[in-house]
Each structure stands twice: as structure tokens, then as C-alpha cells.
Amino acid sequence: MKILIVEDEAKTAEYLHRGLHEQGYTVDVARTGPEGHALTLQHDYDVIVLDVMLPEMDGFAVLRAIRTHKQTPVLMLTARDRVDDRVHGLREGADDYLVKPFSFLELVARLQAVTRRGRAQESTQLRVGDLEIDLLSRKAYRAGSRLELTAKEFALLALLARREGQILSKTVIAEQVWDMNFDSNTNVVEVAIKRLRAKIDGPHERKLLHTIRGMGYVLEVRGDKEAP
Amino acid sequence: MKAAIATRLAVMFAVAALGVFSLVGFALRHVLQRELDRHQLSEVNTRLEYVGMMVARNDSAEKWQSLRSKLDALTPLDGSVRFWVMSPNPRFEYGDAPTMLRERLSTHTGGPFVIDLEGRSMKASSRSFASNGERPAVQVVTAVDSTRFLDTLNAFAGALVALSLAGVALVALLGHRIAKVGLAPLSSLSQEAQSLSPRDLSQRLRLSPLPPELADLVSSFNGALDRVQRAYAQLEGFNADVAHELRTPLANLIGQTQVALAKERTAPQLEETLQSNLEELDRLRAIVNDMLFLARADQGETALHRVQTSAAEEVSKTVEFLEVLLDEAGVSVRVEGDAHAPFERSLFRRAASNLLLNAIEHSERGAEIVVAIAQQESKVRIAVTNPGTPIPEQHLERLFDRFYRVDGARRNSRDNHGLGLSIVRAVAKMHGGTVFATSTAGGNTVGFTLADAPAARAP
């Protein structure tokens, strides 16, 4: 996956570069609009992260220039959270829009969503360690025994299993499981995770559902060195 | 620009005076004319009586001669009084009555009449006398010149007009002065208002020496100043609250980062610090985002992505989201009624979730929260009631203020930084609605309304 970041703010560009590189992307960084536009002419990117507030040529102008020759998915970043901006960006052909301050996890999730479009159907059977999930019959088993889950708990588990090994923020979870796409200051997700954990990890030696403090939750099989 | 009040009043006084003077003038002139008429008539009749007596006594041609000289003597040289005697016998005539007069008399039926003689208008009266001795029946006519009376009347009318005009001018002038004096409190009030300093919000206009008409104005003006001062104080308090809310996480961030860097740390220790920092930063982000959201609503932003939706359905979805919390708190929710309106789903859910969280926070274990949805005229009303201790009146109206807390304490500050109900208000505003809060013994109700048709700005 090849990604282009067009961002003039040094710190932002730096951490996006490092973070996305560690996520397995091949990352190019452009510090100005014209430079970014020139890069899109030379290379074929899978996705472009484009800041709106750029010197010389602003993000909308860059987007227009790119759209004259390429249909690469574009995710725009802005510090101004105005509906006009958002509508403007999407009308010009941006595929998504993130408002600063955004969480890095959310950016990764959005990038995946933008590039995943049109992918083949996922499998209906998921397996994480000795945890088995059947998406069709909506049943889950741990070490062969059936887990009694509520509908929402199953949805939560399915989401985590589908993104195995990937940290999911509370915001993403609330949006995917409950369709609550606003920044809610509740601990609903925390409580729901706590209950789910009791059911799937409760009696088992090896834990599968992990909390990454300050970031979110991840379902994965970890090595022996894991802290309790 | 409108003319000054004093000038307007002066003009109005002048117009009123003109009306009054005209009316009185016309009435006076009419009365005078009638009096003059009466006077003239009595003059004519007195003379006719007198001459008539002389004519009646006369019975011979000899005596007629002396009557003539007497009548000559009675006729003044300027011709202002005239006598005529008409008879079938020319010997018993006097004054050589003009043909015009004779013709007039032949058709005249009685009473006084007016004749035009040598260019002057005269009032005349006639009487017939039966024959006596030698003298045949005669007709006597007396006429008095009306010109004098008309002159008097005209002079009087002229004087009336002149006096009236002078009077009107005087009234206008006096009216202007009076208005100026009468309005003096107003101009002193405006001077006082001008001297109010924007720096000192506690200043007020003085009430004591004012006439009652202005006292009302001043007290409403002072009321407006009260509100401005309160709003200003609230804004200042609000800024302080924002600073406070931001200061706590910032202090944690700086402090724990400095502590972590002061000594050599192991990787897990540093990781621990970073994680804690991230939590604080997330708190800052949440506050900043909420503040920006509120600011956008304040700037008049409206909900753009409105879709016709069932309110009950959205509330149920929100209840589903909060299910685990309700379960933990041992509280149940009942949704009553339904209404459809165009609204932005995520905003609606956000408001509903904040209201429910507020209700959960203030409910005892085992309590039932009731969400009542109703269509009210052009609004959809969503009211969330939870049983609990009544909220005093003075808190109710401020419940939706940013960072306002009934108990003054900052409890639950990690999850809820005191903007929950402010956000409900912002959402209502973005949908052309309002918020409300009531408190009874049965429980506390907090809710909002949404306009059931999109505002004019919506696409």
C-alpha cells in the first residue's frame, strides 16, 4: 500500500509518516501543495492524506488539480470544523474528512475503510486462538464451549475478531457496534468490554481481549511475556 | 431623520390653535353679522314707524307740503337714509321713487328687503296706509344704507384673521418653549446615559427625580443593563471555567512528564507515563471538541443532514447504546409516545444520550426513567423524567449553562465535564427548538424541542 501525505506542519507530517510506515504503508511526504501535486503525477498512490490549510496552494486547490488526472482516494484533514468546509471538500471529490485533533487510530481506520472499498466478501468463520466465531449462526465458542452473549456483545466480539490484532478506539467501537457516530463522553464501551471480557476470558489462563490504555482495545493471541 | 420632538409639538400646537381660532372666528363673525342685521332692521323700522305716523295723520294736500320739508330734513345729506312715499295721486308722493323700487314693491310680499341704489346696498322696509281725508292710500318706504354695517363687519373679520394668525404664531412659539422645558428631563437622561462607561457594568441610570413616563423607560433600560451585566459575568465565569477544565489535565501532563524525565526510567515506566498522558490529552480533545461544537451552534449553524425520522426509534437506539450503564445503575427506561420530524440522527442521539446520562446520574437504583415524546403544534417535544429530589427553581433555568452544576461540586469530572446539557441545548437550537426543565415532587424533567419542519436555511 502506497500512501502520500501532504502536510506542511512538521510534527504532524513526522508522526503520520512514522505511524503509517509502522502500519505497513509505503509513505511519501510532501510539504507543499505543488510538491504533492507533482508527486501524484509521478506515482500511483493507493490513498492520499491531504491537509486543507497549506501555504501557496490550499488543499481544495490541490484536490482539484489531482482530480483532473487521477481518481485516487483522498482523505482531507482540517483544523477548522465548519460544515461549509466539510461540504466543500466532499463536493470537490474528497472521499473522507477528518477534523483535527483526530486520533491516529481513527485515521488508520478511515484509511482502511477508504482503500477497502470493493474488496471481496469476508469469511463467515473467524478464529482467534481457541476462540471461534460463526458470523452466520451468530454463535461463539471458547475452547469448544459455547459462549452466552447478548446481541450487542456478539457484535462487539465480531468486530474485534474481524480486526484481529488491530487496536480499536472507543469511538470506532461505538460507531460500529451501536451506530453512535458522535464523540460521547460515556464509559459505555468500557463497561461493555468489561462484561465481554468476563465472558470470553473469565476462566481462561490465556487472555485474548486486551486494553491499550488511552487508545482502545485489541483482540489477539499474545506471547508468554505479556504482563498480567 | 425625524424632526425634533419640540418642533413636532410646536407644529401640532400651531395646527390645533389654527383650528380653534378659525372656529371661534367664524362663530364670532356670524354672531356679529346677525347683531348688525338686527340693529339695521330696527333702525329701518324705527324710522318707518316715525315717518309712518306722520303720513298716517296727514289728510290734505296743504299739510303734505310741510310733511315733505320734514322728510327732507330727516334725510341726511350723504343719502345714508332715504324715504319714499308712493301714491296713485302724484301730489301725495315723496322722494321720486325709482322704477326699480316700484317694480320690486309690486311683487314684494312683506318684511324687510335689500335694494341697490346708486351703487350702494340699502336695507329697506315698507308699509301701506289707508286713505285719510283728501289723501289716497299710500305706501311708505324707508331705506338705510348697509355699507357702514358691512364695513364694520369686514373690519372686524380682518382684525379676527390677523389676531388669529398672530395667536397661532404665538402658540407655536410658546409650544416650542413649553416642549423644550417639558422635555428637559429627557435630555438630561440622555446625557446621563451617554456618561455610562462601558468599563463599569454596575452603573445604572438614576430613577428618583424622574417623571413617571420616563421612570418606566429608565427601569426597563436598567433591566437591560442588569441582563447585560449578568451575561457578562456569566461569560467571564465561563472563561474561568474553561481555563479550569483545561488546567487540570494540562497540569497532569506537565507534571507527570517532568517526573518521568527527571530520572532514568525503564521502558514500561515510560510507557505507563505515555498512556496516562494520552488519557489526559483525550480529555483535552473532548473538551475542545465540545466547546467548538457549542460555538458552532452559537454562531447559528443549523443541522444540515436532516432526515424524516421517528423520535421513539432514535431514543430506543440510544437506550440500547446505554443499556450496559442502565444495567449497572439498576435503572430502567420507558419510552412513551412517538413523533416524526426531520432531524440529524447523530445530533439527536447525542442529545438523547446526554439527557439519559443526566437522568441515570441522578437516579437511585431501581428507579424508572420515562422518556415522553409528543407532537406539540409545530414542535416535537422530548422530555426525560427521573424520580429524584426536586431541583430548586434558581437552578432550573441555569441547568443548560456550560459547566453549571447544581451541587457546585465537580463530581464525575472524568466522564462528564459539565457540557452535557449545554450540548442538548445546542442540538435543539440547531433544529430550531428550545430546552426546558421542570421539577415537581414526582420527579425532575429535562428535555428539548425540535421544529418539525426544517428551518429556512436548510437546503
Side-chain angles (χ1 to χ4, degrees), chain A residues 81 83-84 101 152 174 178-188 191-192 194-195 213-215, chain B residues 272 275-276 278-279 285 290 296 301 304 317 320-322 324-325 327-328 346 349-350 357 415 417:
Chain A
D81 180 18
V83 168
D84 297 352
K152 288 292 166 193
W178 287 276
D179 192 21
M180 291 288 151
N181 47 359
F182 58 88
D183 206 0
S184 86
N185 303 314
T186 69
N187 53 350
V188 167
V191 176
K194 191 182 81 186
R195 291 180 164 208
R213 223 181 121 198
M215 291 183 84
Chain B
E272 157 85 24
Q275 285 172 341
S276 171
L278 192 54
E279 283 174 356
R285 183 187 57 85
D290 284 355
R296 270 161 43 203
E301 190 176 305
L304 286 180
K317 289 251 174 68
E320 200 172 65
F321 174 57
L322 300 175
V324 287
L325 296 187
D327 199 30
E328 298 273 305
S346 65
R349 289 182 188 178
R350 189 171 186 178
L357 284 171
D415 290 329
H417 38 256

Side-chain angles (χ1 to χ4, degrees), chain B residues 196-217:
Chain B
L196 288 179
S197 152
R199 251 171 292 246
D200 184 4
L201 284 169
S202 64
Q203 281 182 321
R204 294 289 180 273
L205 295 177
R206 276 175 293 116
L207 262 177
S208 48
L210 281 176
E213 292 91 337
L214 286 179
D216 278 353
L217 177 70

Side-chain angles (χ1 to χ4, degrees), chain A residues 83-84 87, chain B residues 301-307 344 347 430-431 457-459:
Chain A
V83 168
D84 297 352
V87 170
Chain B
E301 190 176 305
T302 55
L304 286 180
H305 310 286
R306 300 174 76 164
V307 183
E344 196 169 325
L347 291 179
M430 288 167 121
H431 288 86
R457 226 198 93 182

Side-chain angles (χ1 to χ4, degrees), chain B residues 10-24 164 167-172:
Chain B
V11 169
M12 287 191 274
F13 280 140
V15 170
L18 189 65
V20 171
F21 281 132
S22 305
L23 215 65
V24 171
S164 295
V168 166
L170 195 64
V171 165

Side-chain angles (χ1 to χ4, degrees), chain B residues 260-303:
Chain B
L261 293 174
K263 267 176 70 178
E264 201 159 304
R265 305 282 175 191
T266 63
Q269 282 173 329
L270 287 175
E271 199 173 322
E272 157 85 24
T273 307
L274 281 176
Q275 285 172 341
S276 171
N277 279 357
L278 192 54
E279 283 174 356
E280 294 303 318
L281 289 166
D282 207 44
R283 227 169 114 187
L284 286 175
R285 183 187 57 85
I287 295 172
V288 167
N289 282 347
D290 284 355
M291 299 295 306
L292 286 174
F293 178 80
L294 294 177
R296 270 161 43 203
D298 279 349
Q299 282 159 17
E301 190 176 305
T302 55

Side-chain angles (χ1 to χ4, degrees), chain B residues 106-132:
Chain B
S106 65
T107 57
H108 186 63
T109 47
F113 58 96
V114 177
I115 52 168
D116 240 359
L117 199 70
E118 293 146 22
R120 54 168 75 162
S121 164
M122 303 195 84
K123 200 162 205 95
S125 202
S126 74
R127 197 191 278 182
S128 300
F129 295 92
S131 57
N132 184 5

Side-chain angles (χ1 to χ4, degrees), chain A residues 142-201:
Chain A
R142 178 86 202 254
S145 55
R146 169 95 189 265
L147 298 171
E148 293 297 328
L149 301 176
T150 65
K152 288 292 166 193
E153 280 167 350
F154 185 84
L156 179 54
L157 181 61
L159 173 68
L160 287 159
R162 238 184 263 125
R163 312 269 187 93
E164 183 191 349
Q166 190 181 324
I167 303 166
L168 297 178
S169 72
K170 289 189 215 171
T171 315
V172 169
I173 293 174
E175 190 178 325
Q176 297 284 322
V177 177
W178 287 276
D179 192 21
M180 291 288 151
N181 47 359
F182 58 88
D183 206 0
S184 86
N185 303 314
T186 69
N187 53 350
V188 167
V189 175
E190 273 170 57
V191 176
I193 289 279
K194 191 182 81 186
R195 291 180 164 208
L196 179 65
R197 177 177 285 139
K199 285 184 180 175
I200 66 166
D201 280 344

